[in-house]
Amino acid sequence: MLVFLNRLLCTLALVLALESLPTYPQTPAMVQYTSASGLPSNMVYDVVKDKKGFLWFATDMGIARFNGLNFERFTTFDGMADNEALIIQEDFKGRLWIGCYNGDLCYYQNGRFHSPSNTRFLQLPFKSEPKLITVTYDSSLIFRFNDRKVFVNIKDEEVKIYNFKKMNPEIVCNDSLLHINKLNSDQIELIYANRRMIIDTAGNILKTVKYNKNSFYGHVPGSSPNEYLYATKGIYNIFEDLIFPLTTPLKPQVREVLRVKVFSGVHFICTQDGLLINNKIRLLGGKQVSSIER
């Protein structure tokens, strides 16, 4: 079973015969769920499957947990920091982290929501919309925000805030910063549209590698531990190696690729114009598919 969702009309897709998808001659069967079925809203931003097998959906009107039969909905009434939930990510301790539009950090564990109002270590000295939550090599979490001059690393209940402007003005932080990766306890990798930069935790630049073939449009979360970048003709790894060519070139002014997952050797590419399956099948053309989960 595969589950993919659309931000305009949330869709659960049950895709049959996964192994035969590369040569599948017809459109796979789909079952569709919307707010009429129990979702909080038809505006769905993200989906994740937790370690217990539950599916969680982030919407603009709270989050929902799906057990295969029913949706259980949660909002600020239940303790969420904000009803507009943009991203969801489970960490190694089983905490379900929720990136909220109002900039507050929030997580759900053992039937309780933790937010800045009841959990002190979640109180940050700034407010910015979270854009990405990444689980790192040491099971800590990196939170990247709309304000690209700052990011947060959380290990257990220890919070470290990195402010590039204060660390080192030579680190260029603007819209070309695509991703942040923690390499080890002392080194951080910054991935830009045209280069990779490695810095230490004090902000000293240790290495810069310029991309020679492409200027990338964006970073795409992939199937862990893979991270992807995309350009006109394909999807690449962070070392600029072509991973998957695109038969339909992307336009730089349209940030089309939203997520990439690989299941059983099949590439599922979530775009603003439907779901691509190995570039041979396109589902939900004309609609924005923001995520997919197995």
Side-chain angles (χ1 to χ4, degrees):
M1 177 190 293
L2 291 176
V3 178
F4 64 89
L5 55 91
N6 180 288
R7 293 178 70 176
L8 300 180
L9 181 62
C10 178
T11 303
L12 295 181
L14 309 184
V15 182
L16 307 178
L18 176 61
E19 288 74 19
S20 65
L21 273 175
T23 57
Y24 201 88
Q26 299 176 354
T27 300
M30 294 183 291
V31 177
Q32 197 170 80
Y33 295 91
T34 67
S35 58
S37 312
L39 280 167
S41 169
N42 290 336
M43 178 66 76
V44 180
Y45 297 106
D46 199 7
V47 60
V48 70
K49 183 169 71 173
D50 67 18
K51 294 180 177 64
K52 296 179 181 179
F54 292 107
L55 287 168
W56 292 85
F57 295 84
T59 84
D60 63 335
M61 296 180 67
I63 64 173
R65 178 169 59 188
F66 186 62
N67 61 13
L69 296 173
N70 303 303
F71 292 94
E72 184 178 8
R73 296 181 291 184
F74 304 92
T75 65
T76 52
F77 181 80
D78 303 289
M80 284 182 60
D82 183 29
N83 281 334
E84 189 153 14
L86 303 176
I87 45 179
I88 303 181
Q89 176 68 58
E90 187 178 24
D91 71 7
F92 72 107
K93 298 183 71 173
R95 298 179 294 187
L96 189 77
W97 288 89
I98 304 156
C100 299
Y101 177 75
N102 70 354
D104 283 339
L105 298 185
C106 175
Y107 70 88
Y108 178 85
Q109 186 179 37
N110 299 327
R112 182 188 179 199
F113 284 96
H114 296 258
S115 68
S117 63
N118 61 20
T119 305
R120 187 171 182 178
F121 81 90
L122 297 178
Q123 298 173 3
L124 300 179
F126 65 90
K127 286 274 192 177
S128 183
E129 176 188 328
K131 303 298 289 185
L132 190 67
I133 304 173
T134 304
V135 179
T136 72
Y137 80 98
D138 62 353
S139 298
S140 66
L141 294 144
I142 283 182
F143 296 79
R144 202 198 81 191
F145 298 87
N146 193 47
D147 180 354
R148 298 176 187 240
K149 298 181 179 66
V150 63
F151 75 94
V152 171
N153 185 226
I154 295 180
K155 174 72 172 177
D156 297 322
E157 295 186 1
E158 181 182 350
V159 179
K160 187 166 184 180
I161 299 172
Y162 293 86
N163 188 314
F164 294 136
K165 188 175 181 180
K166 293 181 179 179
M167 291 168 66
N168 185 349
E170 293 183 10
I171 301 174
V172 179
C173 294
N174 50 35
D175 286 343
S176 69
L177 178 61
L178 306 179
H179 187 54
I180 302 166
N181 185 32
K182 187 177 180 182
L183 299 179
N184 53 53
S185 59
D186 300 316
Q187 295 183 350
I188 298 164
E189 183 176 49
L190 308 178
I191 300 173
Y192 294 84
N194 56 6
R195 68 196 184 283
R196 290 187 295 121
M197 181 185 295
I198 298 176
I199 64 173
D200 63 20
T201 53
N204 299 305
I205 299 174
L206 306 178
K207 184 179 181 180
T208 299
V209 179
K210 292 185 178 181
Y211 291 130
N212 297 316
K213 303 174 185 176
N214 299 282
S215 179
F216 292 103
Y217 304 154
H219 162 264
V220 188
S223 304
S224 181
N226 299 315
E227 300 289 343
Y228 300 96
L229 302 170
Y230 67 95
T232 302
K233 297 182 179 179
I235 295 170
Y236 301 75
N237 64 18
I238 62 172
F239 304 105
E240 211 176 5
D241 299 320
L242 181 64
I243 300 298
F244 194 74
L246 294 171
T247 54
T248 303
L250 299 176
K251 299 177 181 179
Q253 66 270 27
V254 180
R255 308 288 177 164
E256 286 187 340
V257 180
L258 302 173
R259 195 169 298 251
V260 176
K261 290 291 183 75
V262 182
F263 300 123
S264 300
V266 181
H267 286 76
F268 296 85
I269 305 170
C270 302
T271 80
Q272 291 186 358
D273 186 23
L275 177 74
L276 286 175
I277 306 175
N278 272 4
N279 264 343
K280 295 184 179 180
I281 299 175
R282 183 185 293 271
L283 302 179
L284 294 175
K287 296 181 180 179
Q288 180 171 311
V289 178
S290 55
S291 187
I292 181 168
E293 188 56 76
R294 183 175 185 177

